[in-house]
Amino acid sequence: GGGIRSVEDATSLRWAGAEKINVNTAAVERPELIAEISHAVGAQSTILSIDVLRVPGNPNFPSGFEIVTHGGRNHTGRDAIAWSREGERLGAGELVVNSIDADGTKDGYDIELTRAVAEAVGVPVIASGGAGKPEHLYDVLTEGGADAALIASMVHYGEYKVSELKRYLDG
């Protein structure tokens, strides 16, 4: 992921050995890109990442969540659940759901958001944003209905080892 704006970008990455092609902003700007990449490399390799901001009580967003880009600075006017369904319809084989509100807090994933997306689509959902302790992983995988979860800062800064997290989840 990062900077993928065309089928050529996607296929070049696949030829270089990438298993998954992750699109976000370029897909928001031109949704047909999802279908084009899915057709070229397969749905199993086409990942739609969505950055989501809470917008409670806003009648323009029935789910209470809006798709944003550029770290939450650019509002798209797209409802997160509607965009998730559209991404799946266009050929995304997985969705990465990043809560802008929770990202970097280490206070836990946005369970409500993750569950809403997981219930709305039939493809795997990967939770992102907010992981701080092993219990957060358990919560998003059970209550949140996520199929997987990103744990970046938990392991990048040496707070936990992957083996510790696996033991916790296995126990």
Side-chain angles (χ1 to χ4, degrees), residues 82-124:
W83 179 234
S84 297
R85 289 180 176 139
E86 180 72 359
E88 177 184 29
R89 186 190 68 74
L90 288 168
E94 295 179 18
L95 298 177
V96 174
V97 180
N98 182 45
S99 169
I100 293 295
D101 300 294
D103 200 23
T105 67
K106 296 186 182 182
D107 290 334
Y109 300 92
D110 188 324
I111 301 296
E112 180 185 353
L113 166 63
T114 306
R115 183 178 45 249
V117 173
E119 289 174 352
V121 299
V123 296

Coordinates of all heavy atoms in Angstrom, one line a residue, residues 82-124:
A82 N -21.6 2.3 3.7 CA -21.9 2.3 2.2 C -20.6 2.1 1.4 O -20.6 1.4 0.4 CB -22.6 3.6 1.9
W83 N -19.5 2.8 1.8 CA -18.3 2.7 1.0 C -17.7 1.2 1.2 O -17.2 0.7 0.3 CB -17.3 3.7 1.5 CG -15.9 3.6 0.8 CD1 -14.7 3.6 1.4 CD2 -15.7 3.7 -0.6 NE1 -13.7 3.5 0.5 CE2 -14.3 3.6 -0.8 CE3 -16.5 3.7 -1.7 CZ2 -13.7 3.6 -2.0 CZ3 -15.9 3.7 -3.0 CH2 -14.5 3.6 -3.1
S84 N -17.8 0.7 2.4 CA -17.4 -0.7 2.6 C -18.1 -1.7 1.6 O -17.5 -2.5 1.0 CB -17.6 -1.1 4.0 OG -16.9 -0.3 4.9
R85 N -19.4 -1.5 1.6 CA -20.2 -2.4 0.7 C -19.8 -2.2 -0.8 O -19.8 -3.1 -1.6 CB -21.7 -2.1 0.9 CG -22.2 -2.7 2.2 CD -23.7 -2.4 2.4 NE -24.2 -3.0 3.6 CZ -25.0 -2.4 4.4 NH1 -25.5 -1.2 4.1 NH2 -25.5 -3.0 5.5
E86 N -19.6 -0.9 -1.1 CA -19.2 -0.6 -2.5 C -17.9 -1.2 -2.8 O -17.7 -1.7 -3.9 CB -19.2 0.9 -2.7 CG -18.9 1.4 -4.1 CD -19.9 1.2 -5.1 OE1 -21.0 0.6 -4.8 OE2 -19.7 1.5 -6.3
G87 N -17.0 -1.1 -1.9 CA -15.6 -1.7 -2.1 C -15.7 -3.2 -2.4 O -15.1 -3.7 -3.3
E88 N -16.5 -3.8 -1.6 CA -16.7 -5.3 -1.8 C -17.4 -5.6 -3.1 O -16.9 -6.5 -3.8 CB -17.6 -5.9 -0.6 CG -17.9 -7.3 -0.8 CD -18.8 -7.9 0.3 OE1 -19.7 -7.1 0.8 OE2 -18.7 -9.1 0.5
R89 N -18.4 -4.8 -3.5 CA -19.1 -5.0 -4.7 C -18.1 -4.8 -5.9 O -18.2 -5.5 -6.9 CB -20.2 -4.0 -4.9 CG -21.1 -4.3 -6.1 CD -22.1 -3.2 -6.3 NE -21.5 -1.9 -6.7 CZ -21.0 -1.6 -7.9 NH1 -21.0 -2.5 -8.8 NH2 -20.5 -0.4 -8.1
L90 N -17.2 -3.9 -5.8 CA -16.2 -3.6 -6.9 C -15.1 -4.6 -7.0 O -14.4 -4.6 -7.9 CB -15.7 -2.2 -6.7 CG -16.6 -1.1 -7.0 CD1 -16.1 0.3 -6.5 CD2 -17.0 -1.0 -8.5
G91 N -15.0 -5.5 -5.9 CA -14.0 -6.5 -6.0 C -12.9 -6.6 -5.0 O -12.0 -7.4 -5.1
A92 N -13.0 -5.8 -3.9 CA -12.0 -5.9 -2.8 C -12.3 -7.2 -2.1 O -13.4 -7.5 -1.7 CB -12.2 -4.7 -1.9
G93 N -11.2 -7.9 -1.9 CA -11.3 -9.2 -1.2 C -11.1 -9.1 0.3 O -11.4 -10.1 1.0
E94 N -10.7 -8.0 0.8 CA -10.5 -7.7 2.2 C -10.6 -6.2 2.4 O -10.4 -5.5 1.5 CB -9.1 -8.2 2.7 CG -8.9 -9.7 2.6 CD -7.5 -10.0 3.1 OE1 -6.8 -9.2 3.8 OE2 -7.0 -11.2 2.8
L95 N -11.0 -5.9 3.6 CA -11.1 -4.5 4.0 C -10.2 -4.3 5.3 O -10.3 -5.0 6.2 CB -12.5 -4.1 4.4 CG -13.6 -4.2 3.3 CD1 -14.9 -3.8 3.8 CD2 -13.2 -3.3 2.1
V96 N -9.4 -3.2 5.2 CA -8.7 -2.8 6.4 C -9.4 -1.6 6.9 O -9.5 -0.6 6.2 CB -7.2 -2.4 6.1 CG1 -6.5 -1.9 7.4 CG2 -6.4 -3.7 5.6
V97 N -9.9 -1.7 8.2 CA -10.7 -0.6 8.7 C -9.9 0.1 9.8 O -9.6 -0.5 10.9 CB -12.0 -1.2 9.4 CG1 -12.9 -0.1 10.0 CG2 -12.8 -2.0 8.3
N98 N -9.5 1.3 9.5 CA -8.7 2.1 10.4 C -9.5 3.2 11.1 O -9.9 4.1 10.4 CB -7.4 2.7 9.7 CG -6.6 3.5 10.6 OD1 -6.3 3.0 11.7 ND2 -6.1 4.7 10.2
S99 N -9.6 3.2 12.3 CA -10.3 4.2 13.1 C -9.3 5.4 13.3 O -8.4 5.2 14.1 CB -10.8 3.7 14.4 OG -11.3 4.8 15.2
I100 N -9.6 6.5 12.7 CA -8.8 7.7 12.9 C -8.9 8.1 14.3 O -7.9 8.6 14.9 CB -9.2 8.8 11.9 CG1 -8.9 8.4 10.5 CG2 -8.6 10.1 12.3 CD1 -7.4 8.2 10.1
D101 N -10.0 8.0 14.9 CA -10.2 8.4 16.3 C -9.4 7.6 17.3 O -8.9 8.1 18.3 CB -11.7 8.3 16.7 CG -12.6 9.1 15.8 OD1 -12.5 10.4 15.9 OD2 -13.4 8.6 15.1
A102 N -9.2 6.3 17.0 CA -8.5 5.4 17.9 C -7.0 5.3 17.6 O -6.2 4.9 18.5 CB -9.1 4.0 18.0
D103 N -6.7 5.6 16.4 CA -5.3 5.3 15.9 C -4.3 6.1 16.7 O -4.4 7.3 17.0 CB -5.2 5.8 14.4 CG -4.0 5.2 13.7 OD1 -3.5 4.1 14.2 OD2 -3.5 5.8 12.7
G104 N -3.3 5.3 17.2 CA -2.2 5.9 18.0 C -2.5 6.1 19.5 O -1.7 6.5 20.3
T105 N -3.8 5.8 19.9 CA -4.2 6.1 21.3 C -3.7 4.9 22.2 O -3.5 5.2 23.4 CB -5.7 6.2 21.4 OG1 -6.3 5.0 21.1 CG2 -6.2 7.4 20.6
K106 N -3.6 3.7 21.7 CA -3.4 2.5 22.5 C -4.5 2.3 23.5 O -4.3 1.5 24.5 CB -2.0 2.6 23.2 CG -0.8 2.6 22.2 CD 0.5 2.5 22.9 CE 1.6 2.6 22.0 NZ 2.9 2.5 22.7
D107 N -5.7 2.8 23.3 CA -6.8 2.6 24.2 C -7.8 1.6 23.7 O -8.8 1.4 24.3 CB -7.6 4.0 24.3 CG -6.8 5.0 25.1 OD1 -5.9 4.6 25.9 OD2 -7.0 6.2 24.9
G108 N -7.4 0.9 22.6 CA -8.3 -0.2 22.0 C -8.9 0.2 20.7 O -9.0 1.4 20.4
Y109 N -9.2 -0.8 20.0 CA -9.8 -0.6 18.6 C -11.3 0.0 18.8 O -11.8 -0.1 19.9 CB -10.0 -1.9 17.9 CG -8.6 -2.6 17.7 CD1 -8.1 -3.5 18.6 CD2 -7.9 -2.4 16.5 CE1 -6.9 -4.2 18.3 CE2 -6.7 -3.0 16.3 CZ -6.2 -3.9 17.2 OH -5.1 -4.6 17.0
D110 N -11.8 0.5 17.7 CA -13.2 1.0 17.8 C -14.0 -0.2 17.5 O -14.2 -0.6 16.3 CB -13.4 2.1 16.7 CG -14.8 2.7 16.8 OD1 -15.7 2.0 17.2 OD2 -14.9 3.9 16.6
I111 N -14.5 -0.9 18.5 CA -15.3 -2.1 18.4 C -16.6 -1.9 17.6 O -16.9 -2.7 16.7 CB -15.6 -2.7 19.8 CG1 -14.3 -3.0 20.6 CG2 -16.5 -3.9 19.7 CD1 -13.4 -4.0 20.0
E112 N -17.3 -0.8 17.9 CA -18.5 -0.5 17.2 C -18.3 -0.4 15.7 O -19.1 -0.9 14.9 CB -19.1 0.8 17.8 CG -20.5 1.2 17.1 CD -21.0 2.5 17.6 OE1 -20.4 3.1 18.6 OE2 -22.0 2.9 17.0
L113 N -17.3 0.4 15.3 CA -17.0 0.6 13.9 C -16.7 -0.8 13.2 O -17.2 -1.1 12.2 CB -15.8 1.5 13.7 CG -15.2 1.6 12.4 CD1 -16.2 2.1 11.3 CD2 -14.0 2.5 12.4
T114 N -15.8 -1.5 13.9 CA -15.3 -2.8 13.3 C -16.5 -3.7 13.1 O -16.6 -4.4 12.1 CB -14.2 -3.4 14.1 OG1 -13.2 -2.4 14.3 CG2 -13.6 -4.6 13.5
R115 N -17.3 -3.8 14.2 CA -18.5 -4.7 14.1 C -19.4 -4.3 13.0 O -20.0 -5.1 12.3 CB -19.2 -4.8 15.5 CG -20.3 -5.8 15.5 CD -21.0 -5.9 16.8 NE -21.3 -4.6 17.5 CZ -20.7 -4.2 18.6 NH1 -19.8 -5.0 19.2 NH2 -20.9 -3.0 19.1
A116 N -19.7 -3.0 12.9 CA -20.6 -2.5 11.9 C -20.1 -2.9 10.5 O -20.9 -3.3 9.6 CB -20.8 -1.0 12.0
V117 N -18.8 -2.7 10.2 CA -18.3 -3.1 8.9 C -18.3 -4.6 8.7 O -18.8 -5.1 7.6 CB -16.9 -2.5 8.7 CG1 -16.3 -3.0 7.4 CG2 -16.9 -1.0 8.7
A118 N -17.9 -5.3 9.7 CA -17.9 -6.8 9.6 C -19.3 -7.4 9.3 O -19.4 -8.3 8.6 CB -17.3 -7.4 10.8
E119 N -20.3 -6.8 9.9 CA -21.7 -7.2 9.7 C -22.2 -6.8 8.3 O -23.2 -7.4 7.8 CB -22.6 -6.7 10.8 CG -22.3 -7.4 12.2 CD -23.1 -6.8 13.3 OE1 -23.8 -5.7 13.1 OE2 -23.1 -7.4 14.4
A120 N -21.6 -5.8 7.7 CA -22.2 -5.2 6.5 C -21.6 -5.9 5.2 O -22.2 -5.8 4.2 CB -21.9 -3.7 6.4
V121 N -20.4 -6.5 5.4 CA -19.8 -7.1 4.2 C -19.5 -8.6 4.4 O -19.6 -9.1 5.6 CB -18.4 -6.4 3.9 CG1 -18.6 -4.9 3.6 CG2 -17.4 -6.6 5.1
G122 N -19.2 -9.3 3.3 CA -19.0 -10.7 3.4 C -17.5 -11.1 3.2 O -17.2 -12.3 3.1
V123 N -16.6 -10.1 3.2 CA -15.2 -10.4 3.0 C -14.5 -10.2 4.3 O -15.1 -9.5 5.2 CB -14.6 -9.4 1.9 CG1 -15.2 -9.7 0.6 CG2 -14.8 -8.0 2.3
P124 N -13.3 -10.7 4.5 CA -12.6 -10.5 5.8 C -12.3 -9.0 6.1 O -12.1 -8.2 5.2 CB -11.3 -11.2 5.5 CG -11.6 -12.2 4.5 CD -12.6 -11.6 3.6

